[in-house]
Amino acid sequence: MDSLTLVMLAVLAVLVFFMFRNGRKRKKDQEALQATMVPGADVMTNFGMYGTIIAIDEEANKVELQIAPGVVVEIHRQTIARVVEPVVADVPEDSSVDSIDSLTEPEFGQRVADVDTDTTDQPKKGDA
């Protein structure tokens, strides 16, 4: 066998290895998602719709999803992309310091009057 054939076989072996590895990883991720899908969970679908799971039909592979109060849609179970975890906002312990700093700092784009300690009327750099 020449070296080109050996290199091609090695590349083919690496590609097959990565195909199986990615397949196992996807299967593991899908099983983890299925385990977290329970009635009452907030989810996002593949097409970007958010809702709460009302019921899961294992045999028909369907999920009843409440997208608004009183609005329930029935979708295929595999269209659920992920379970949405609630986001908890971190509240700083001492918010009074931040509010004082925000009063002295100008907002982005806000004009601030220049306060010069030098009272001479010399032109500044860039003035014509």
Side-chain angles (χ1 to χ4, degrees):
M1 286 187 162
D2 64 56
S3 62
L4 181 62
T5 305
L6 290 176
V7 170
M8 294 302 280
L9 288 175
V11 168
L12 182 63
V14 169
L15 288 175
V16 169
F17 170 75
F18 280 115
M19 281 180 11
F20 282 116
R21 182 173 162 245
N22 287 340
R24 280 187 275 147
K25 184 178 178 184
R26 273 194 221 114
K27 184 178 178 183
K28 183 178 131 186
D29 290 343
Q30 187 68 22
E31 288 172 355
L33 176 66
Q34 297 297 328
T36 58
M37 283 181 20
V38 293
D42 291 330
V43 296
M44 183 185 83
T45 62
N46 286 339
F47 43 91
M49 185 179 295
Y50 289 89
T52 304
I53 295 176
I54 302 297
I56 300 173
D57 185 5
E58 299 282 339
E59 294 150 3
N61 222 11
K62 294 181 181 179
V63 174
E64 289 183 10
L65 191 69
Q66 181 178 1
I67 56 174
V71 180
V72 178
V73 295
E74 192 173 76
I75 60 172
H76 194 273
R77 186 176 182 168
Q78 290 179 344
T79 60
I80 295 178
R82 65 184 174 103
V83 176
V84 179
E85 300 294 329
V87 177
V88 178
D90 293 332
V91 178
E93 292 178 13
D94 190 16
S95 62
S96 63
V97 174
D98 293 337
S99 64
I100 292 171
D101 290 339
S102 66
L103 293 176
T104 58
E105 288 290 319
E107 296 274 335
F108 178 75
Q110 180 182 5
R111 293 183 183 250
V112 180
D114 291 331
V115 178
D116 290 334
T117 57
D118 187 19
T119 58
T120 61
D121 290 330
Q122 294 182 359
K124 297 178 184 176
K125 184 177 182 181
D127 288 343

